[in-house]
């Protein structure tokens, strides 16, 4: 984010993380108050800690973290109370408790990250002057906080996957349009061709990530009752983004070929003809991709682009011309309906 003011960066982070922070604040306060109403005789910090540790940017991750925390607390309390009942605290007993807790954490986990909640809870119970009452408080406060978090988490300031997918489609269209036109205009200019290839490497990586981001937005709808009615629309947007993102390798191939031939040959007449002949192709192909991502019929722009490719093929049959127009042909194939 070079050249962006600090205030702009702060606003961007607030926009992205503000809803999650507000959701955590509201649910933590509600958990605290609910625990007081339920009869907590000590400050019910365990109830308020649940949303702090479990709420994530999407409901699926939040519910997984919530379940793992509750199970970890349950196992940790059981382990800690049992050990304290039979043994007094010593270094050897401590090692056994931590070892058993970590072993439990490998079972009660997401499969990729060790759940240390079992060990943390068992040690806190292990070190408390009144283990039984402390363990009971942790259990019921965590259970209450977990129930409130599970109910309110998806309902307060939920993500809007439809808006996210639409924004991804717009960014995908903008990147492809800019990349095609910029790459074509760079033909015959060594500095521009090299800069375009460097930029297109990052651009292609972004394009490849758009499909996964759209699918993540679609998955988030399963746990979001307020947005579930938009599920088919988000799935359709994801399909369009997937198709358009397949153009990333061809966009990178265009940038690579342009840089190679420009660096090898310089501003030759053949490359000048290529730039002149392919610029209408790039513009029409960009319009076809934009139509595809917006859900419109791209056939008119696809026909214009293919006609321009055919004219250029007639004007120049050299191998260089064949290689430079090939990425456009591949991208135009993506714009057409899949064959049944």
């Amino acid at each position: 984010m070079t050249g962006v003011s600090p205030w702009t960066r702060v606003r961007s982070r607030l926009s992205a993380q503000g809803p999650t922070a507000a959701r955590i604040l509201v649910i933590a306060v509600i958990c605290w108050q609910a625990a007081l109403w339920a009869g907590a005789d000590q400050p019910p910090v365990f109830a308020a800690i649940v949303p702090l540790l479990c709420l994530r940017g999407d409901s699926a991750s939040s519910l997984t973290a919530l379940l793992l925390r509750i199970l970890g607390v349950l196992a940790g309390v059981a382990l800690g109370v049992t050990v304290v009942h039979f043994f007094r605290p010593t270094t050897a007993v401590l090692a056994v408790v931590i070892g058993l807790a970590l072993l439990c954490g490998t079972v009660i986990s997401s499969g990729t990250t060790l759940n240390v909640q079992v060990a943390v809870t068992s040690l806190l119970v292990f070190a408390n002057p009144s283990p039984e009452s402390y363990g009971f408080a942790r259990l019921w406060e965590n259970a209450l906080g977990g129930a409130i978090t599970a109910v309110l988490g998806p309902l307060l300031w939920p993500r809007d996957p439809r808006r996210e997918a639409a924004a991804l489609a717009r960014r995908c269209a903008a990147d492809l349009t800019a990349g095609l036109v910029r790459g074509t205009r760079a033909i015959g200019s060594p500095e521009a061709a090299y800069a375009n290839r460097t930029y297109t490497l990052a651009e292609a990586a972004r394009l490849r990530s758009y499909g996964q981001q759209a699918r993540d937005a679609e998955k988030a709808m399963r746990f979001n009752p307020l947005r579930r009615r938009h599920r088919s629309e988000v799935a359709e947007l994801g399909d369009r983004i997937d198709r358009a993102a397949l153009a990333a390798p061809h966009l990178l191939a265009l940038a690579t070929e342009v840089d190679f031939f420009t660096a090898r040959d310089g501003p030759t007449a053949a490359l000048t003809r290529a730039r002149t002949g392919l610029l209408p192709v790039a513009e029409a192909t960009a319009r076809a991709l934009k139509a595809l991502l917006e859900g419109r019929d791209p056939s008119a722009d696809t026909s214009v682009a293919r006609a321009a490719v055919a004219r250029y093929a007639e004007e120049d049959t050299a191998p260089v011309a064949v290689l430079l127009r090939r990425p456009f042909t591949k991208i135009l194939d993506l714009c057409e309906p899949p064959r049944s």
Side-chain angles (χ1 to χ4, degrees):
M1 300 185 68
T2 305
V4 179
S5 68
W7 176 238
T8 300
R9 288 198 294 268
V10 170
R11 284 191 301 175
S12 176
R13 291 172 184 173
L14 283 175
S15 176
Q17 302 174 18
T20 299
R23 188 184 303 121
I24 291 173
L25 172 62
V26 171
I27 295 177
V29 171
I30 292 174
C31 290
W32 176 285
Q33 188 59 51
L36 291 177
W37 286 336
D41 54 2
Q42 296 291 330
V45 293
F46 306 125
I49 282 175
V50 173
L52 285 169
L53 297 181
C54 296
L55 280 179
R56 303 287 188 268
D58 63 272
S59 300
S61 299
S62 297
L63 290 175
T64 300
L66 181 60
L67 177 61
L68 292 177
R69 174 172 171 79
I70 297 300
L71 292 175
V73 168
L74 181 63
V77 167
L79 177 61
V81 169
T82 301
V83 170
V84 167
H85 182 74
F86 290 104
F87 305 98
R88 65 182 184 87
T90 64
T91 303
V93 172
L94 175 70
V96 171
V97 169
I98 294 178
L100 291 174
L102 292 176
L103 181 61
C104 290
T106 62
V107 178
I108 308 172
S109 71
S110 61
T112 57
T113 304
L114 177 68
N115 185 359
V116 297
Q117 183 64 57
V118 184
V120 170
T121 300
S122 60
L123 285 178
L124 290 174
V125 172
F126 191 71
N128 199 273
S130 180
E132 288 79 6
S133 61
Y134 175 81
F136 179 71
R138 280 191 69 87
L139 279 177
W140 80 261
E141 288 181 18
N142 271 278
L144 179 62
I148 294 172
T149 301
V151 172
L152 294 183
L155 301 179
L156 296 179
W157 298 285
R159 291 174 58 183
D160 188 344
R162 179 176 60 170
R163 183 173 61 187
E164 293 177 12
L168 286 170
R170 288 193 297 271
R171 290 202 293 269
C172 189
D175 283 353
L176 286 169
T177 300
L180 286 170
V181 175
R182 184 185 63 247
T184 306
R185 287 177 175 165
I187 298 175
S189 174
E191 291 184 2
Y194 178 78
N196 173 67
R197 182 178 181 179
T198 302
Y199 190 84
T200 304
L201 283 169
E203 201 167 48
R206 286 199 306 272
L207 287 166
R208 286 191 292 267
S209 73
Y210 289 154
Q212 182 58 50
Q213 292 178 53
R215 294 306 172 196
D216 289 343
E218 185 180 356
K219 289 178 183 178
M221 303 191 76
R222 293 180 298 177
F223 304 92
N224 193 334
L226 299 182
R227 307 290 187 187
R228 198 170 293 166
R229 65 186 184 276
H230 300 143
R231 191 167 185 175
S232 60
E233 188 176 348
V234 173
E236 184 181 355
L237 278 166
D239 290 338
R240 291 184 216 152
I241 292 169
D242 282 341
R243 281 180 62 190
L246 291 174
H250 307 303
L251 184 65
L252 186 56
L254 174 65
T256 303
E257 300 289 6
V258 167
D259 183 39
F260 174 77
F261 289 119
T262 300
R264 188 190 70 176
D265 302 333
T268 62
L271 291 181
T272 300
R273 286 196 305 272
R275 183 173 62 248
T276 303
L278 289 175
L279 189 56
V281 178
E283 292 170 346
T285 304
R287 291 194 301 270
L289 285 167
K290 184 177 180 182
L292 173 67
L293 286 162
E294 291 177 353
R296 297 184 285 108
D297 183 7
S299 58
D301 292 310
T302 302
S303 298
V304 171
R306 289 198 183 278
V309 170
R311 286 195 299 271
Y312 174 60
E314 291 177 358
E315 294 171 0
D316 196 339
T317 59
V320 172
V322 174
L323 290 172
L324 288 176
R325 65 175 181 261
R326 182 178 295 168
F328 293 100
T329 303
K330 296 292 186 181
I331 293 173
L332 288 170
D333 290 341
L334 296 173
C335 295
E336 295 180 345
R339 298 175 182 177
S340 56

